[in-house]
Structure formats: C-alpha cells, structure tokens
Amino acid sequence: MLPPFFNEKINQFNTPEEQQEMKRALALVNSQLGRTYELVIGGRKIRTTRLIDSLNPARPSEVVGRVCQADARLAKQAIQVAHETFTKSWRLFPAEARARILIKAAAIIRRRKFEICAWLVVEASKNWVEAAADTAEAVDFLEYYARAMMGYAGIQHSEPWPGEENCQYWEPLGVCVVIPPWNFPCAILTGMAAAAIVTGNTVVLKPASITPVIGAIIADIFHEAGLPPGVLNFICGSGAEIGDLIVDHPLTRMIAFTGSKEVGLRIAKRAARINKGQIWIKRLIAEMGGKDTIVVDETADLDLAAQEICTSAYGYQGQKCSACSRVVVIENVHDRLLERVKLLAESLVIDDPRKPQTSLGAVSSALARESILRYIAIAKRENTLVTGGETVAGEGYFVQPTIFKDVKPRDIIAQEEIFGPVLAFIKASNFEEAIAIANNTEYGLTGAVFSSDRGRLEYARREFHVGNLYFNRKCTGAMVGVQPFGGFNMSGTDSKAGGREYLLLFLQGKSVTERF
C-alpha cells in the first residue's frame, strides 16, 4: 500500500549544501549543451535532418539543444502507433501497474531534481527557486495522480436493485494529444501526460518549440520508469505543420492543451469538427490565459500585501497565467501600497539565472520581449510610469519589473494579457467597486483579496468570479492536491489540474447490468 500523499519540498537553496549541489548540476548541464535529441515513436528513436534549436533566453547565442523535428508523415505515424498500442495492450494494462510507473517516474525525478532544475534555469530562464518549484510540482502530479487513479479502478458503487447485478466502470478514451506550454515545461507537461497515461490512454506529446529539451528529458524518464513502447510518443514541430494535423486526426480521442487564449480557441474550433472516419466527439481540456487581480482594502496588512503582490507579479518574470497583472486598491491606501511595491520591485536582481542571487531571468524569447515592450509603449502614452519600463543591457531578453499607475479599468494594460513583468495599479472608491473591477475582464483564472474584514472576505468568496481565489496570500503557486487549478470564461475549461476529479476528464463511464 502506498503511503499518504505529501507535497514535495521546494528547495530554497539557503544552505551551502543545496547551493553546491545546484552548482554541480549546472556544470553537468553546461557540459551537455548542444546535444541532439531524437523523436520517439513506438519506443523507437528517430533522427531527422530538420532540427529545432532551443536557445537560452538569458544568452541567446547559446544553443541548449537541438531537437529533431517531425513532418506530417511522422506525426501521422505517431497517432497510428498510439492508437494501435491503446487498442492492443495499454487499455488492458492494470491500473495499479500504470500507477507504479508514475511512482517510479517520480522517484527518478526526485533523484535527478538538481539536474532538472539546472535544465530549467538554462532553457526556461527560471531562477533557482522557480526551477525547484516547477520540478517539485512535476513530482506532485505523478504521486497524486497515481493514488487518485486507485479510486477509479475496478467496479464503482451503484445502488442495488433486486434480481440484478449493476456495475459501473471507468474506461480510458484512446489517443490523447498533449500540448503543454513553455512556461512550466516540466510540471505541466508531466502532469498532463501522467493523467492521460495513468488512466489508460496513450499519448502523442508535442512540447513547446522553445522548451523542447526538457520535454525530451521527461519523455526519457517515463520510459526509464518502465512505460511500454508506444504509450508515450514524443514529437516536435510547428503548430502549422503538425499541430493542426494531430488535433484534426480522426483517431485522436482527446486533446489536453495549456497555452494562450488564441491557440486554445483555435484548437477548440478544430476539435469540434467531425473528420472522416471519426466516430466520437473529441474531448478537450483547454487551460488558457488570465488577467489576474489582487484587491487590497484599507483594513489590509499593507506590508504583507506588497510582498505577496511583488511575488505574484514578478515571479518568473510575470510569465505565469496566474500572475498578478492588476492591483485594485481602495483609494485612501493606494499611494502607501504603491510605494511599498515600487521599493520591492526596484530591489529585485535581474540577471542570468545561473547566478544564485538572481530574482528575474530573461523573458522567453525575442518575440515575447517585443510584445511586452509594445504594451509598455501603449501604457506610457495612456498611463503614468512608476518604475521600470525598459530593457536591460546585455545579450539576453531581459525586461525590468514595471509598474504603471493612473490606470483605468478599461485601459489596454488593464484588459489584455501581457505575460510579462508589467503591473497596473487601479483605484477603487469602495470594496464592491473593487470586486466589480476585478471581474471586468474576459478571463477568470486567479485572484486574491487582502482584507481583515470578514464580511468583505465572504462577499469576495461569493462575488469574485475566478477558478482559484486566495485570501491574504499571493495569487500564484497552487499546490497539487491542495488547490486544484483551472479557471472560468476565457481562462479555459476549468479542468482543475491537481485535483482528483481531473482524471475523470480522461475517462468514460460504462454501466453494466446482468439480470439473474
């Protein structure tokens, strides 16, 4: 019997021993830069002539690795192999044995955690603690879903009826296409793939094109943990060339996607079509963007609020769908809170995340930096710049932590997802108005309220419409099993990743009755 689930410790690197371990891991990763990673289809490694170069965002001249690129023929082959593996063997594999593979994969990641953290530092430009959190969450997903699956294995309870035996079963769907994001290339990729695998589905995994090396490493870990050939098929390539194909394919039974609103809606539209030979409605998990708000009233602890706002807004350069990008403040404490957040933002260290003192690394790519700077330019015309707003000298894609004030609720930077270290301060005359402003975007992912007024907290509990709402703490950092994660409206399908019910999205129910 498995021991109870506990969330994995997130290393803080505040001891000499941990710091030395991380430095050794970075040296190991540095020695492996530039390697070529192959596709994996049906357990067979496939080398292609076309390669995707993964670059270090903090040092773009540095090639992290080269990953083989699939064409349409190989993408179709991956779907076909996954379908045949599902039909002939994997759907019949005992749930307990599937769960043990996840537990073994978690153990491997745990043993290699500093190395994986180092890959996240180099390929995703995460600072040491952000990398540790990403790695720990991957372990949590594996451990939690392995245990959760046991509740759905075998015969399920149904009410008795005289003269009959009535049973209900949960069965896997088939081929699941997994399309994870670049911002959590370890945790979210692992979590979506693990959920599909442990429920008995086969997977075609297409990692994000700017963080494919970590995807290749995690795919290898699954196979090292004992996953049979053909269950997890690893392919890379552009959305235009192979992304549409694997979504559209008639043998695809389900798509699990995390990424932008624009891409998620495009996938939803394509998944709704019935293609020739398709005999099912495709199921879709789509976790998309956010425009997340922290509300602060005049009864709040302003020092605590400022610290948590800063962490929520600038953790991983603001490149989390859960990141705080708007602060709505009751006007008579607005200036005091703003000054506290400004001082904290200006104290953050922007540098290569290989260095242990770094707070903010680089944003993900040149295109990402250009997009962020366009929003900053718009805000400079419409609003008042408090701090930041510039790039940082050097090779990498660095952007200063930025704050604007005098932002109106319908201004562009108050409505559109920027996905960078840009924070808008908005005044509200009372608490009800603050909550109304918090609800005024098309998104509904995370939010937070800082207040010591019980009535107001209960009002927010009822009226603040987001999938994950936090009181007197940051709006990022949902923990597996503790705060199942997913949002409303254009933030997605509210799938609640990291919750027991998440696995039901990968299963279908079958009721069997025998009359005696």
Side-chain angles (χ1 to χ4, degrees), residues 127-143:
N127 70 25
W128 292 14
V129 175
E130 290 283 353
D134 197 334
T135 307
E137 188 175 13
V139 171
D140 284 349
F141 278 129
L142 292 162
E143 294 276 4

Side-chain angles (χ1 to χ4, degrees), residues 56-353:
N56 177 351
R59 197 180 297 173
S61 61
E62 185 173 76
V63 177
V64 178
R66 295 182 167 94
V67 182
C68 292
Q69 188 168 346
D71 57 14
R73 179 185 64 82
L74 287 171
K76 290 176 184 176
Q77 182 182 332
I79 295 285
Q80 186 65 43
V81 166
H83 174 70
E84 291 174 2
T85 304
F86 172 78
T87 303
K88 294 176 182 178
S89 61
W90 187 242
R91 67 185 179 88
L92 305 174
F93 212 76
E96 294 85 354
R98 299 195 300 261
R100 291 183 190 111
I101 291 172
L102 265 61
I103 297 296
K104 181 63 181 287
I108 295 168
I109 292 176
R110 221 179 258 115
R111 287 194 287 270
R112 295 175 59 184
K113 65 180 176 180
F114 290 103
E115 176 199 346
I116 294 170
C117 284
W119 282 111
L120 287 161
V121 166
V122 173
E123 189 174 40
S125 204
K126 297 201 169 196
N127 70 25
W128 292 14
V129 175
E130 290 283 353
D134 197 334
T135 307
E137 188 175 13
V139 171
D140 284 349
F141 278 129
L142 292 162
E143 294 276 4
Y144 186 83
Y145 290 152
R147 290 163 173 79
M149 184 58 210
M150 295 303 94
Y152 298 122
I155 299 174
Q156 304 294 300
H157 170 76
S158 61
E159 298 300 327
W161 188 255
E164 293 179 351
E165 179 195 18
N166 291 281
C167 305
Q168 184 178 343
Y169 304 87
W170 290 109
E171 297 186 341
L173 301 171
V175 178
C176 179
V177 167
V178 173
I179 307 175
W182 53 261
N183 63 336
F184 284 88
C186 180
I188 295 180
L189 180 151
T190 301
M192 292 198 295
I197 288 165
V198 80
T199 49
N201 301 284
T202 52
V203 171
V204 174
L205 170 62
K206 184 184 117 43
S209 294
I210 60 175
T211 51
V213 170
I214 294 163
I217 291 168
I218 297 300
D220 280 348
I221 286 172
F222 271 112
H223 290 116
E224 183 185 345
L227 197 65
V231 177
L232 175 62
N233 302 279
F234 175 78
I235 61 173
C236 294
S238 71
E241 185 171 9
I242 67 169
D244 288 349
L245 187 156
I246 58 179
V247 166
D248 295 346
H249 200 290
L251 293 179
T252 296
R253 183 67 180 80
M254 179 181 181
I255 303 105
F257 166 80
T258 301
S260 71
K261 181 193 78 171
E262 291 73 21
V263 176
L265 293 178
R266 190 171 190 275
I267 289 173
K269 187 174 181 179
R270 299 188 76 92
R273 299 175 186 168
I274 304 299
N275 297 286
K276 185 178 180 181
Q278 182 180 325
I279 61 170
W280 44 63
I281 300 171
K282 290 176 183 173
R283 197 172 291 181
L284 173 65
I285 292 174
E287 289 303 325
M288 303 188 292
K291 192 65 184 172
D292 308 301
T293 304
I294 292 180
V295 172
V296 183
D297 77 3
E298 72 278 14
T299 72
D301 179 335
L302 296 187
D303 289 329
L304 173 64
Q307 184 62 61
E308 297 291 277
I309 287 166
C310 195
T311 301
S312 299
Y314 303 123
Y316 190 40
Q317 298 80 265
Q319 298 177 124
K320 302 177 184 180
C321 55
S322 59
C324 172
S325 60
R326 310 194 308 169
V327 179
V328 180
V329 195
I330 302 302
E331 54 192 358
N332 63 355
V333 293
H334 174 277
D335 292 351
R336 282 184 283 156
L337 178 66
L338 176 59
E339 183 61 25
R340 285 167 168 82
V341 176
K342 174 180 179 290
L343 290 173
L344 289 170
E346 291 174 345
S347 72
L348 296 171
V349 177
I350 310 164
D351 207 338
D352 189 326

Side-chain angles (χ1 to χ4, degrees), residues 480-500:
V480 172
V482 181
Q483 296 124 355
F485 185 79
F488 303 160
N489 304 335
M490 288 299 171
S491 289
T493 54
D494 194 40
S495 59
K496 292 304 177 194
R500 182 176 180 271

Side-chain angles (χ1 to χ4, degrees), residues 294-302 304-305 328 330 333 431 434-435 448-460 470-473:
I294 292 180
V295 172
V296 183
D297 77 3
E298 72 278 14
T299 72
D301 179 335
L302 296 187
L304 173 64
V328 180
I330 302 302
V333 293
F431 190 78
I435 297 299
V449 175
F450 285 82
S451 174
S452 61
D453 185 311
R454 173 50 53 191
R456 289 177 178 177
L457 293 177
E458 295 304 322
Y459 178 86
Y470 305 96
F471 293 158
N472 295 310
R473 58 147 280 179

